[in-house]
Amino acid sequence: MSRDAASGSLQRDSTSAFAILGGTPAFAEPLHVGRPNIGDRDRLMARIDGMLDRAWLTNGGPLVREFEESVARILDVPHCVAMCNGTVALEIAIRAANLRGEVIVSPFTFVATAHALQWQQITPVFCDIDPRTHNLDPNRVEDMITPRTTGIVGVHLWGRPCAIDELTEIADRRGLGLLFDAAHAFGCSYKGRMIGGFGSAEVLSFHATKFVNSFEGGAIVTNDPVLADKARLMRNFGFADYDEVSYVGTNGKMPEVAAAMGLTSLESRHEFLEANRRNYEAYRAGLAGVDGIELIVHDDEDLVNLQYVVIEVDEAAGLSRDDLQRVLWAEGVLARRYFFPGCHRMEPYRSFFPHAGLVLPEAERLAGRVLSLPTGSAADPEAIVVVTELIRQALAIGPQLRREMRTAGKADADLSAPWPLSAAS
Ligand code: T4K
């Protein structure tokens, strides 16, 4: 943090005080979205020591089995099949659930959800979202069903559950498979039941940036023993025995070192949640009453992990989302436009469906408004107060700031990765 930010005297009451127009940045080091939650290092190192002593590094080792049992217990689901990452877990779940042809999915998600289908020559059919939940709008799903449709993949974006009851009813009535991408939803619940037990299967991500992480990792969780067995075989090349292969398979195995991190991370999940809650409340307090900014909310009845803090920026208040992002980046706050511009505007989908945007008005609108802000156990609460002050003060003089950014040639500043991705300092 710079000296004025650290002393709590952040003053951005004139346009020239903002770093984008020549002022001193609030943060000397970039403040990232997605800084990993690191659990107890001693516990991690002890597990890694044990792994090295056993000389059992992957292929169904004891740490992976313990991790699977722990996840299954926490989510109250009978089967957990750990994988090397969430994307491969999605691919395997899609194959194990026998989805083919066309599958209905939200365009407003990380591109992995769509890619996991397309990778297997299944066409993702993008269906518009509900602007209140950011998730698939069940009222639009039926319009997208064709004779080639075999399933629906819902995404619990930001850990907020999909319209699970409605999607289940549609899938059952129309004879479709139903999977959920629960990459954001570990530890979240829906109507008193843990996310993980809905649809034919749900898919988790334990990527470094997730609430609970195993460096890289993922899992399929399901109530269906047949699907779980299939997924177990598929993640290990289809091997049912030393010399017998029963399905086409891949290498989706989670290594022991990842499970060591996953188990350690699970042990600290209550502390991670506490940090996320503290941060979320600081954002809520700091952004209250700021015209043009809406912080996404969660249902009080549900369990949450609060791993994403997302605001919607209404351009009518004077600054567009991109203007605000440029202002924040100049200050060292690396807010992210998750999930701009929407999968349908990424390749290969934009070439396949160049006019998809016409039937996705809500996804298009939302992709222009959202901004994810730093949180997690690595985010210093004082830093969050500074971030909210920056936003508040920028919006207070929004139209003037925007005009002067234009005059200074800063309104088009590049929003591609500003720091080397491999060396996020
Ligand atoms: N479905 C959904 C809905 C998902 O969101 C995701 C993944 C998946 C499926 C697929 O699951 P995985 O196959 O990944 O298990 C990041 C993550 O890589 C990705 O896991 C996540 N969603 C997505 C939302 O975010 P990028 O391309 O934005 O990552 P990157 O490299 O820009 O990192 C984000 C920020 O995190 C950086 O600004 C710095 C910080 N960071 C990152 C890493 C890896 C660190 O500080 N330390 C680190 O080690 O995708």
Side-chain angles (χ1 to χ4, degrees), residues 63-181:
L63 294 176
V64 167
R65 286 204 302 277
E66 188 185 341
F67 182 64
E68 291 180 335
E69 282 159 20
S70 302
V71 169
R73 194 172 48 250
I74 292 165
L75 302 189
D76 196 21
V77 68
H79 309 283
C80 170
V81 187
M83 304 270 176
C84 55
N85 60 55
T87 305
V88 168
L90 269 172
E91 287 167 9
I92 292 180
I94 286 162
R95 196 174 276 264
N98 209 19
L99 303 190
R100 289 156 284 114
E102 293 177 1
V103 169
I104 295 168
V105 67
S106 166
F108 194 63
T109 176
F110 191 58
V111 74
T113 322
H115 279 353
L117 293 161
Q118 187 62 43
W119 192 252
Q120 327 194 50
Q121 316 299 325
I122 298 168
T123 305
V125 172
F126 297 117
C127 173
D128 211 2
I129 54 171
D130 179 337
R132 289 169 307 121
T133 64
H134 300 186
N135 288 324
L136 269 183
D137 182 346
N139 295 317
R140 292 170 191 261
V141 165
E142 288 210 76
D143 296 342
M144 312 308 282
I145 297 176
T146 75
R148 295 190 67 227
T149 308
T150 60
I152 303 168
V153 177
V155 184
H156 306 304
L157 207 73
W158 323 132
R160 299 196 296 186
C162 282
I164 294 177
D165 290 343
E166 292 83 346
L167 292 176
T168 305
E169 190 277 323
I170 294 169
D172 288 349
R173 183 162 44 78
R174 303 295 295 257
L176 302 175
L178 179 62
L179 298 176
F180 290 105
D181 176 339

Side-chain angles (χ1 to χ4, degrees), residues 274-354:
E274 218 172 281
N276 285 353
R277 198 179 290 287
R278 173 201 69 205
N279 296 345
Y280 182 80
E281 291 308 328
Y283 278 116
R284 181 146 65 182
L287 297 174
V290 179
D291 265 356
I293 300 292
E294 203 179 312
L295 177 67
I296 65 155
V297 294
H298 296 262
D299 191 330
D300 288 341
E301 305 285 303
D302 288 330
L303 296 177
V304 290
N305 62 33
L306 301 173
Q307 74 172 307
Y308 290 98
V309 171
V310 180
I311 54 172
E312 288 186 40
V313 184
D314 183 355
E315 187 161 5
L319 284 181
S320 70
R321 184 274 313 275
D322 289 358
D323 293 331
L324 181 60
Q325 190 184 16
R326 290 187 176 97
V327 168
L328 291 175
W329 278 23
E331 302 285 352
V333 181
L334 257 186
R336 294 290 295 267
R337 293 184 289 187
Y338 290 134
F339 288 105
F340 173 82
C343 297
H344 61 294
R345 287 187 174 271
M346 293 175 165
E347 290 296 355
Y349 315 108
R350 71 171 168 228
S351 294
F352 290 168
F353 320 113

Side-chain angles (χ1 to χ4, degrees), residues 35-39 208 210-213 261 265 272 275-276 375-378:
R35 268 287 191 238
N37 290 324
I38 310 285
K210 294 293 188 285
F211 175 57
V212 162
N213 89 81
M261 182 61 168
S265 194
F272 301 157
N276 285 353
T375 186
S377 56

